[in-house]
Amino acid sequence: MHSSLKFTFTFLAVALVAASCSSDDIVYKDASAPVEKRVEDLLKRMTLEEKLLQLNQYTLGMNNIENNLGEAVREIPAEIGSLIYFGDDAILRNKMQHRAMEESRLGIPILFGHDVIHGYRTIFPVPLAQACSWNPELVRQGCAVAAQESYSCGVDWTFSPMVDIARDPRWGRVMEGYGEDPYAASVYCQAAVRGYQGDDLGAENTIAACLKHYVGYGASEAGRDYVPAEISDQTLWDTYLPPFEAGVKAGAATLMSAFHNISGTPASGNHYILTEVLKDKWGHDGFVVSDWDAVVQLKNQGMAADDKEAAEIAFNAGIEMDMVDDLYKKYIPQLLEEGKVKMSQVDEAVRRVLRIKFRLGLFDKPYIEEKPESERYLLPESLDLAERLATESMVLLKNDDGLLPLDIRSRIALIGPLSSVRRDHNGNWYGRGKETDVIPFNEGIAEEFSGRLTVAEGCDFEGDDRSGFARAVAAARESDVAVVCIGHKSRWSGENCSRSTIEIPQIQLDLVRAIKATGTKVVLLVSCGRPVDLHLFEPEADAILLTWHPGTMAGRAVAGILSGRSNPSGKLAITFPYTTGQIPIYYNRRNSGRRGTQGIYKDITSNPMYQFGYGLSYSTFEYGPLTLSSENVSRNGSLQASVTVTNTSSRDGQETVHWFICDPVSRITRPVKELKYFEKQLIPAGESRTFTFDIEPMRDLGFVDRTGRRYLDSGEYHIIVGTQQATITVTD
Ligand code: GLC
């Protein structure tokens, strides 16, 4: 059709639609009307061009994410559906929103997104660290602060929580998730969604969540980012899908499709997961955004011959919004003409995007109040929370002879590449966090302790320059204790940060050994965004505290633990391998057919350095007998397992009790044990508290098959807590 004729038709169509609606029956502008009515009313008024722009996302502001730099900042149409927003306040966002509301024909607000992964400006520990707190309520509160700060700076939507199960710490993005266990990740996922979205998505200081990266991205082969993963349907259902299902049930507004190829079908072209599971089986009524360029990358993955086919495959698979590669806007009109995409599909995709915008209240409150900086972020209560979460995320791995906590008057030599840094404590994906906000270890410790503090870096993270060793050794000799701050740079984990080894560079080990040789007691502070190889460091240290990348309040949190102001309570949410050669190694593995020395390494131990769930406290806890309300339970019945834990120390402390189950015999064989519940309680010195696991057989003992169907076998099961195990029987 000749373009001028086409223009005439379009113009007439628009004019007819506009004329047919008097101002008082513009339902979509009526805040009192039900969302679904507003969606349908708006949808029927939209032209194809307007609809397709709602399915596209560009960027606004300076993109500082090195993996995506260089994206052309296009002339942004007022009708664009979404923008990834790189701004520290709402000013630029409001300017763009005014264009959308006033220059476009229908005044559809833009949805502004950003990667708020573990804080916006107040930076919390990386999510993998937060998972070691076993305090989902604290994680929820942290996400609520992140939502408040994001909202006040113009962000309506975060590309978080990332809930990829990861069992290969060579993969840099292990830092962004909640570890190796599907149940734990499900609990944290729900906490994060509630934190971001609150009880009312339309309320102030709430933002839309985005479960990512859907699904199985953490299984990328050999920990190499973006590469294909071999995942059976059985493993997809019993390991990788559960946190996403939990997030959908918690009401997560959106999901993000992943980059990788799932056993031959790329995630971003995978109709099974994007439509049959997410929409048909789980009933998700929000929308899916692709990851950055994930649509166009279907060509590189060999699924699409060209851009147009990539758009056809991704759209028909079930991705509603295309992140930054612009293919939907360019090619869906042709695909419609060729009958490869139906108008009803376009309408459904637009319906889902509009639905989230209406639920967020963007039509009725499109602009964000432009508050002063002091009211937007880094509020005192937010910083206090950040310190608490950092403290509870840290894991005490060793404490020989109760060296920690240290006497407040101790003369401390603070040594190592992380002794005074700021930036690395924010970890990767640090949102709009500023390193100048960070309290470094040296400042935190100086503030906490009254004894002499000598700081001697000793060496850099890597390299061969040992010229700083002598000063560090001298400082250690003249001190009561050497606190050596070792580990990885924050930029060594995160996206596109795969490492062939999880070792800490040799120069740091040499430094620790040189300090150890002085005879001064050695405390290691280990900073990292992934499990690291500590097996050579362990013998050199009297105490080891895993600090992860703890965020803005790093120095104060670590000082509080060193001084005993805080009692460490973290426990590992991911296995620490003895060395890279053991990877993958995780606790919930299936049994082998061989026992004893068959099937173990001949050159190193086959046990990890630190188990899932491991972590010490300054308190000591004694577990009483595991008791059951019954030894038998019917399929639809319930049963209580309880254990009483006594704090046998003189110091109040928090203890997390992990409840595992084991189904020793099943046609679809089950892991040696599976976490099914956990609870953390403060137990005052000398007192006892009872921890109870209310077992619902189908939920807690059952399993899903390769189609996602849940089963429950009758017969024996083991309930495991601490070192105890009890057997129950599920009767018909
Ligand atoms: C990145 C990441 C994804 C992020 C998105 C937007 O490449 O894979 O996690 O949300 O692009 O920055």
Side-chain angles (χ1 to χ4, degrees):
M1 181 187 293
H2 194 277
S3 58
S4 62
L5 188 59
K6 195 160 120 181
F7 173 77
T8 310
F9 270 118
T10 307
F11 179 76
L12 281 174
V14 166
L16 278 172
V17 165
S20 69
C21 306
S22 60
S23 58
D24 60 3
D25 68 356
I26 302 183
V27 172
Y28 81 90
K29 292 190 175 182
D30 174 0
S32 66
V35 164
E36 292 311 311
K37 285 194 180 302
R38 301 179 76 181
V39 168
E40 295 311 319
D41 177 65
L42 177 51
L43 191 59
K44 75 185 181 198
R45 300 168 188 270
M46 296 170 75
T47 65
L48 176 60
E49 168 87 3
E50 290 164 338
K51 290 177 181 175
L52 294 182
L53 279 166
Q54 287 300 309
L55 307 183
N56 280 269
Q57 180 183 65
Y58 298 162
T59 63
L60 175 67
M62 173 44 75
N63 172 1
N64 59 0
I65 300 175
E66 58 263 24
N67 296 309
N68 304 322
L69 274 184
E71 286 305 320
V73 178
R74 297 178 184 78
E75 168 49 38
I76 298 172
E79 298 80 2
I80 191 67
S82 174
L83 292 169
I84 301 180
Y85 183 53
F86 298 95
D88 287 316
D89 58 42
I91 297 169
L92 179 60
R93 170 245 206 261
N94 283 342
K95 274 185 190 155
M96 189 62 223
Q97 195 72 299
H98 274 289
R99 282 194 56 212
M101 300 308 285
E102 292 150 21
E103 287 176 25
S104 71
R105 188 173 69 86
L106 294 167
I108 302 174
I110 295 167
L111 180 61
F112 293 89
H114 191 75
D115 288 287
V116 185
I117 308 302
H118 51 104
Y120 180 84
R121 177 69 185 266
T122 299
I123 302 302
F124 295 89
V126 294
L128 182 57
Q130 293 188 36
C132 297
S133 72
W134 300 99
N135 194 333
E137 173 51 21
L138 223 47
V139 170
R140 183 197 66 76
Q141 291 176 30
C143 292
V145 165
Q148 171 269 315
E149 294 191 349
S150 304
Y151 181 91
S152 64
C153 295
V155 171
D156 317 298
W157 177 27
T158 176
F159 306 131
S160 172
M162 188 272 217
V163 288
D164 299 315
I165 298 300
R167 295 163 160 174
D168 188 332
R170 291 172 295 182
W171 190 52
R173 305 200 75 166
V174 65
M175 58 74 72
E176 295 174 57
Y178 294 112
E180 71 191 36
D181 182 74
Y183 172 75
S186 300
V187 172
Y188 287 120
C189 176
Q190 294 192 319
V193 170
R194 286 200 318 271
Y196 290 132
Q197 298 191 168
D199 299 328
D200 170 10
L201 201 49
E204 288 217 350
N205 298 323
T206 61
I207 58 177
C210 181
L211 310 176
K212 73 183 186 182
H213 306 78
Y214 189 58
V215 62
Y217 186 19
S220 297
E221 215 155 50
R224 288 197 301 276
D225 207 352
Y226 311 114
V227 304
E230 275 308 316
I231 307 176
S232 68
D233 283 351
Q234 182 61 45
T235 301
L236 196 62
W237 278 101
D238 59 31
T239 301
Y240 295 104
L241 282 171
F244 289 92
E245 185 172 12
V248 167
K249 281 182 179 160
T254 69
L255 288 86
M256 181 184 293
S257 70
F259 288 125
H260 67 299
N261 184 321
I262 306 175
S263 300
T265 306
S268 293
N270 196 309
H271 186 269
Y272 175 65
I273 60 170
L274 291 164
T275 294
E276 293 167 55
V277 174
L278 179 62
K279 299 176 172 71
D280 299 346
K281 195 171 180 72
W282 292 348
H284 187 245
D285 68 355
F287 69 88
V288 176
V289 62
S290 73
D291 202 337
W292 191 287
D293 277 352
V295 174
V296 73
Q297 286 169 9
L298 291 174
K299 285 191 304 183
N300 300 344
Q301 291 173 297
M303 189 175 195
D306 53 36
D307 288 358
K308 187 171 78 164
E309 190 176 26
E312 176 194 350
I313 291 168
F315 188 72
N316 284 331
I319 292 180
E320 282 78 26
M321 185 179 282
D322 176 15
M323 185 185 284
V324 305
D325 62 30
D326 216 24
L327 298 192
Y328 282 9
K329 176 170 162 286
K330 278 181 190 163
Y331 294 105
I332 288 184
Q334 288 174 50
L335 293 167
L336 284 166
E337 284 179 11
E338 295 165 8
K340 292 174 179 171
V341 163
K342 293 195 287 292
M343 196 62 215
S344 59
Q345 290 173 269
V346 172
D347 285 347
E348 176 56 17
V350 175
R351 184 174 288 120
R352 288 169 175 269
V353 172
L354 295 180
R355 180 177 292 140
I356 298 306
K357 291 187 174 183
F358 278 113
R359 286 180 182 167
L360 275 165
L362 287 179
F363 282 84
D364 311 314
K365 195 181 175 304
Y367 309 112
I368 299 294
E369 185 189 347
E370 294 167 10
K371 293 178 179 174
E373 190 173 290
S374 60
E375 293 176 28
R376 296 204 303 272
Y377 41 63
L378 298 171
L379 304 179
E381 59 272 25
S382 303
L383 295 173
D384 289 345
L385 183 68
E387 182 183 347
R388 266 189 70 200
L389 190 45
T391 301
E392 295 205 25
S393 301
M394 294 181 181
V395 185
L396 183 62
L397 299 173
K398 182 177 186 181
N399 190 22
D400 282 0
D401 305 326
L403 173 63
L404 296 179
L406 301 172
D407 186 308
I408 208 81
R409 296 157 301 176
S410 302
R411 296 172 302 157
I412 298 173
L414 190 64
I415 295 164
L418 282 126
S419 50
S420 310
V421 298
R422 294 173 189 269
R423 168 178 177 164
D424 294 291
H425 294 317
N426 274 346
N428 217 328
W429 288 114
Y430 47 86
R432 306 302 288 181
K434 304 274 183 279
E435 60 183 272
T436 47
D437 300 332
V438 174
I439 300 178
F441 286 169
N442 61 316
E443 287 183 15
I445 291 168
E447 190 183 289
E448 187 86 17
F449 286 83
S450 57
R452 190 191 65 220
L453 176 66
T454 310
V455 180
E457 197 171 274
C459 69
D460 197 351
F461 284 88
E462 56 188 342
D464 292 319
D465 178 1
R466 289 167 173 72
S467 59
F469 276 33
R471 188 165 169 274
V473 165
R477 286 193 201 289
E478 294 151 15
S479 302
D480 303 315
V481 62
V483 177
V484 189
C485 312
I486 61 167
H488 278 191
K489 289 183 178 179
S490 58
R491 300 186 302 289
W492 289 2
S493 56
E495 181 177 356
N496 198 19
C497 293
S498 301
R499 295 176 75 84
S500 67
T501 170
I502 59 171
E503 288 173 354
I504 294 172
Q506 183 65 39
I507 191 165
Q508 295 188 46
L509 178 58
D510 294 347
L511 175 66
V512 171
R513 284 174 169 161
I515 302 304
K516 171 77 177 174
T518 66
T520 300
K521 293 289 186 186
V522 173
V523 177
L524 292 187
L525 300 183
V526 182
S527 297
C528 52
R530 58 159 46 93
V532 287
D533 176 349
L534 291 172
H535 85 274
L536 295 175
F537 287 89
E538 200 279 346
E540 309 297 335
D542 300 284
I544 303 174
L545 179 66
L546 174 63
T547 62
W548 296 108
H549 294 312
T552 306
M553 301 304 281
R556 194 159 304 155
V558 82
I561 289 180
L562 292 177
S563 73
R565 170 168 55 86
S566 309
N567 188 349
S569 61
K571 296 190 174 192
L572 294 178
I574 191 166
T575 301
F576 266 55
Y578 180 79
T579 183
T580 305
Q582 286 188 337
I583 295 170
I585 184 168
Y586 47 94
Y587 91 89
N588 43 354
R589 67 192 182 286
R590 287 189 164 85
N591 260 316
S592 159
R594 295 295 175 99
R595 296 280 190 270
T597 59
Q598 294 184 301
I600 64 170
Y601 294 114
K602 302 309 177 194
D603 57 340
I604 61 168
T605 174
S606 295
N607 297 318
M609 186 71 201
Y610 300 112
Q611 301 273 7
F612 175 88
Y614 176 77
L616 301 174
S617 165
Y618 294 151
S619 302
T620 48
F621 299 104
E622 213 164 270
Y623 282 49
L626 164 55
T627 59
L628 300 168
S629 58
S630 163
E631 290 185 356
N632 300 297
V633 61
S634 68
R635 303 172 60 78
N636 300 316
S638 66
L639 174 146
Q640 280 197 340
S642 301
V643 67
T644 296
V645 180
T646 301
N647 179 347
T648 53
S649 76
S650 59
R651 179 189 288 270
D652 297 352
Q654 296 190 85
E655 173 66 347
T656 297
V657 169
H658 290 104
W659 290 96
F660 299 90
I661 67 105
C662 167
D663 178 356
V665 180
S666 172
R667 287 299 164 86
I668 298 176
T669 54
R670 306 285 294 284
V672 293
K673 65 180 185 178
E674 301 170 65
L675 182 69
K676 290 296 180 182
Y677 183 64
F678 62 85
E679 183 185 359
K680 184 173 195 177
Q681 290 191 51
L682 174 66
I683 308 179
E687 295 189 23
S688 301
R689 290 291 181 277
T690 297
F691 293 73
T692 300
F693 174 20
D694 290 314
I695 296 167
E696 290 182 22
M698 181 58 88
R699 180 193 66 190
D700 299 318
L701 306 175
F703 65 96
V704 287
D705 70 4
R706 56 190 298 281
T707 70
R709 190 167 158 226
R710 181 162 283 276
Y711 289 87
L712 173 64
D713 293 335
S714 306
E716 288 194 351
Y717 291 83
H718 301 317
I719 310 300
I720 301 162
V721 66
T723 56
Q724 302 181 70
Q725 176 174 304
T727 300
I728 62 171
T729 303
V730 173
T731 57
D732 282 334

